[in-house]
Amino acid sequence: MIFVLQNDNRPPATPTMTEVTKAPKEATAKKAAPRVESYDIAKSDETLDLAKDLAKFIKENKLSTQVQGKEFVNVEGWQYAGSRLGIVPIVEHVINVSSEQEIKYQAKVTLFDMRSQHTVGAGFAICSNKESGKKFYQEFAIASMAQTRAIGKAYRNILAWIIRAAGYEPTPAEEMEYTGNVPAPALAPAVAEPTPVMRAVTTAPALPVETPAAEAPVALPVQYATASQKEEIIRLLNHPLITRQEKTKMLLNINRLDEERATQAIAKLRKAIEDREGTTAVAA
């Protein structure tokens, strides 16, 4: 009988490259924290995490404005904070409250929570071309800024503390553009005039009296188009037979029209619509 002895001192098998790299990859995958897609405003720990995420997002995308050494978040930053909480803005209305001397709009925005399906906040704002730096703003820009401010204001009413926790001032940057009424500069104190000194006067021939020059005629102020005229122009521009090019050109110059030119523009638009109503032309 023949016995075969098995050598138990053989070296262990060398692990393959796949087996070596597999374990670290699996460990790394287990350690990676899942990315948070949304936060709950009712949970303080989650909102504090949102504040950290918000601070990073604002800094990386430069969504803040510095005013007098302090950082104020732009409306895009407030919208980002709201979106992470599932809260979106809805423009309720934009009202034209202009006068003959001022272009002014008021806007209202409500905040809608997509989770609870309820309104959770609101904000009002106005914008006027009487504000500093907005003298030459066109009407559509004034209306747009009123909406932008209302969005920031609505979010500020419920998320101010989160913005503060992120390290920024709890006021939307768009509100800081309005400087308000600038106080009149203080008048310098009156300086007492010195007492005149009596001196001897010698007789001298009288100088000829100069004839005053004729006064230049005073230019009358320009009477710009009224708010009702502008509303009628915009109504006519929204007609489907008015082309996009005609609409854009008119809107760019609407705030430069005086009353006479506004009347002519209204008549021209009405005639163009009447002439095109019988044709198959379609506005661009």
Side-chain angles (χ1 to χ4, degrees):
M1 181 178 294
I2 300 173
F3 296 92
V4 178
L5 299 178
Q6 183 176 358
N7 186 7
D8 293 331
N9 296 326
R10 289 177 298 175
T14 305
T16 63
M17 183 62 68
T18 304
E19 294 174 344
V20 172
T21 58
K22 184 177 180 181
K25 286 185 177 180
E26 291 177 350
T28 304
K30 291 180 180 178
K31 293 181 180 179
R35 184 177 182 274
V36 178
E37 295 297 334
S38 62
Y39 298 89
D40 188 352
I41 195 173
K43 299 179 180 179
S44 60
D45 56 338
E46 290 192 11
T47 48
L48 289 176
D49 290 338
L50 171 59
K52 298 176 183 177
D53 178 46
L54 183 60
K56 180 181 178 182
F57 181 82
I58 292 172
K59 183 177 181 181
E60 290 179 349
N61 293 277
K62 300 178 180 179
L63 296 179
S64 64
T65 302
Q66 190 175 87
V67 180
Q68 298 179 354
K70 298 180 179 180
E71 294 291 335
F72 296 85
V73 180
N74 300 345
V75 70
E76 293 86 356
W78 291 90
Q79 287 176 311
Y80 175 77
S83 67
R84 297 307 303 274
L85 294 166
I87 300 173
V88 296
I90 299 175
V91 178
E92 291 287 333
H93 65 242
V94 181
I95 302 176
N96 185 353
V97 290
S98 304
S99 63
E100 297 291 338
Q101 296 79 25
E102 180 182 18
I103 300 174
K104 188 175 182 180
Y105 277 83
Q106 179 195 75
K108 177 187 177 183
V109 169
T110 57
L111 298 180
F112 184 75
D113 190 336
M114 293 188 293
R115 294 178 179 177
S116 65
Q117 298 292 305
H118 289 98
T119 299
V120 294
F124 291 85
I126 61 172
C127 186
S128 165
N129 67 338
K130 292 291 186 180
E131 298 175 21
S132 176
K134 293 182 173 56
K135 180 178 180 181
F136 299 104
Y137 272 37
Q138 297 190 30
E139 189 165 356
F140 74 90
I142 298 295
S144 177
M145 178 54 74
Q147 297 176 66
T148 300
R149 286 179 177 173
I151 292 172
K153 188 66 175 180
Y155 277 125
R156 184 252 183 274
N157 289 339
I158 65 170
L159 303 181
W161 68 276
I162 297 179
I163 297 294
R164 172 66 81 179
Y168 296 92
E169 295 298 317
T171 302
E174 288 73 18
E175 288 190 24
M176 300 305 297
E177 293 182 1
Y178 180 57
T179 57
N181 296 326
V182 179
L187 298 176
V191 180
E193 296 183 357
T195 304
V197 180
M198 300 296 294
R199 290 187 176 89
V201 180
T202 57
T203 303
L207 297 176
V209 179
E210 296 182 358
T211 304
E215 296 182 357
V218 179
L220 297 176
V222 179
Q223 298 295 328
Y224 287 101
T226 63
S228 59
Q229 287 179 315
K230 293 178 182 179
E231 291 177 1
E232 179 63 14
I233 291 174
I234 294 173
R235 187 187 69 81
L236 293 171
L237 289 175
N238 288 326
H239 197 282
L241 293 180
I242 299 299
T243 65
R244 184 184 299 274
Q245 183 179 4
E246 291 172 330
K247 182 184 297 186
T248 302
K249 182 178 179 181
M250 180 63 70
L251 288 176
L252 288 175
N253 296 282
I254 193 170
N255 289 327
R256 302 176 185 175
L257 299 176
D258 55 25
E259 292 185 354
E260 182 179 355
R261 293 173 60 191
T263 302
Q264 295 174 355
I266 292 172
K268 183 178 179 181
L269 288 170
R270 287 175 177 170
K271 186 176 185 305
I273 293 172
E274 291 176 359
D275 293 342
R276 298 172 188 177
E277 280 181 343
T279 64
T280 58
V282 179

